[in-house]
Amino acid sequence: MNYKGPYALFGNGPDPTHPIIKDRLKSIKTFFCVDGGADKLLKRGYTPDIILGDMDSIVQKESQYNCKIVPLKDQSKSDMEKSLSWCVKNEIKELDLFGFSYGRDDQHLANLLIMKNYSDKMKMKMYTDNSLIICINEHTNFASKSDQKISLFSFNKDTKITTTGLKYTLNNSGLSSPSHGISNSAKGSSFSVHPSDWVWVIMNYMQ
C-alpha cells in the first residue's frame, strides 16, 4: 500500500472540534474514512484517501469522492471494527482515531471495547472532544501538563499497575474498585504507567 503515515481513521460520529484535534489533523498524511466520515472530513478541508465500510451513510455518489472505495459488507460487525480489521491486514502499525466518541453511550462503549481488542495488533490513540484515550499493556511514558486529570481503568481486578509522575501513586497494585483510578492528576510534564495487563489511560484535556 503506497500511503505514508501518520495514519488516521476518521469516523462518522459527532464532528470533533477541540483545538488539540485541529492541530493533530494537520499532521496526518493518510486519511482512512469510515463511511460517512468522508463527508465530515471533506467539510474540514481534508481529502479522504480511502473510504471503508458498507457505504450506507455517504451523501454523494461513490464516483464523486475521487478516492479509493473499499466495500466492507459484514453486517455482524460495525464499520469501525471492519475498518480496523482492514488496517491490520494492510499492516498499519499506528493509527489515530477521530469521530468515534458518539452521543450514544452504547456506540461509544462498543468502540472502546473494539479499540481494546485491536490494541495488541496496532498502537492506537482515540481523540475525543474531551480527552485522549489509549489502551496499553506495557510500560508507557506520556507527556502531560501539571494538574492534568488522568484516569486509569483496568479490565480485571488482578491487573497490577505501577505509576510515576501522578499525584496518587500506584506501586504494583491493583485498582480496588472501578472508580479507584478516576481523576488522578499529573504532577508535571510527564508520567508513566506500567501495567501487568491491559488498561485504558484517559488523559483529559486541560481547560
Side-chain angles (χ1 to χ4, degrees):
M1 187 173 61
N2 296 320
Y3 297 97
K4 296 181 179 181
Y7 302 97
L9 186 65
F10 203 93
N12 195 27
D15 194 23
T17 59
H18 196 280
I20 287 177
I21 293 175
K22 292 179 179 180
D23 287 342
R24 181 57 182 164
L25 287 173
K26 294 175 184 178
S27 68
I28 300 299
K29 300 298 183 183
T30 299
F31 285 101
F32 307 126
C33 291
V34 178
D35 219 322
D39 299 295
K40 293 186 176 181
L41 185 68
L42 285 166
K43 288 180 180 179
R44 300 186 71 100
Y46 296 96
T47 302
D49 293 286
I50 298 177
I51 304 177
L52 307 163
D54 53 19
M55 307 304 144
D56 64 347
S57 61
I58 55 175
V59 299
Q60 306 179 64
K61 293 181 179 180
E62 292 184 15
S63 59
Q64 293 180 288
Y65 287 95
N66 195 31
C67 69
K68 184 176 181 179
I69 305 289
V70 179
L72 302 173
K73 299 296 186 180
D74 185 355
Q75 295 302 311
S76 67
K77 298 179 180 179
S78 71
D79 280 339
M80 176 185 176
E81 187 169 5
K82 289 182 288 187
S83 297
L84 290 180
S85 179
W86 180 89
C87 288
V88 170
K89 290 178 181 177
N90 284 272
E91 300 182 340
I92 303 300
K93 302 300 183 183
E94 295 190 27
L95 188 66
D96 288 351
L97 306 175
F98 302 94
F100 291 102
S101 177
Y102 287 84
R104 280 178 50 180
D105 294 331
D106 54 348
Q107 289 179 324
H108 189 200
L109 178 58
N111 288 342
L112 289 173
L113 293 173
I114 291 167
M115 179 185 178
K116 184 263 177 183
N117 286 345
Y118 282 85
S119 288
D120 63 340
K121 302 174 179 67
M122 72 176 96
K123 293 182 178 180
M124 286 179 283
K125 296 179 179 179
M126 180 183 287
Y127 290 83
T128 78
D129 259 343
N130 300 302
S131 61
L132 174 63
I133 304 173
I134 303 173
C135 193
I136 62 169
N137 70 340
E138 61 185 7
H139 182 90
T140 305
N141 296 310
F142 299 90
S144 61
K145 295 182 179 180
S146 182
D147 296 325
Q148 183 174 5
K149 294 301 181 184
I150 310 296
S151 293
L152 305 177
F153 295 90
S154 65
F155 293 88
N156 68 70
K157 60 183 178 59
D158 297 321
T159 300
K160 304 300 182 184
I161 305 170
T162 298
T163 64
T164 65
L166 296 180
K167 181 178 180 180
Y168 303 106
T169 300
L170 292 171
N171 186 12
N172 195 35
S173 57
L175 298 176
S176 60
S177 72
S179 62
H180 182 185
I182 293 177
S183 296
N184 208 330
S185 59
K187 294 193 293 184
S189 60
S190 66
F191 68 95
S192 70
V193 179
H194 185 104
S196 64
D197 201 351
W198 291 101
V199 298
W200 274 311
V201 180
I202 300 180
M203 304 173 60
N204 293 277
Y205 304 142
M206 298 291 287
Q207 298 298 322

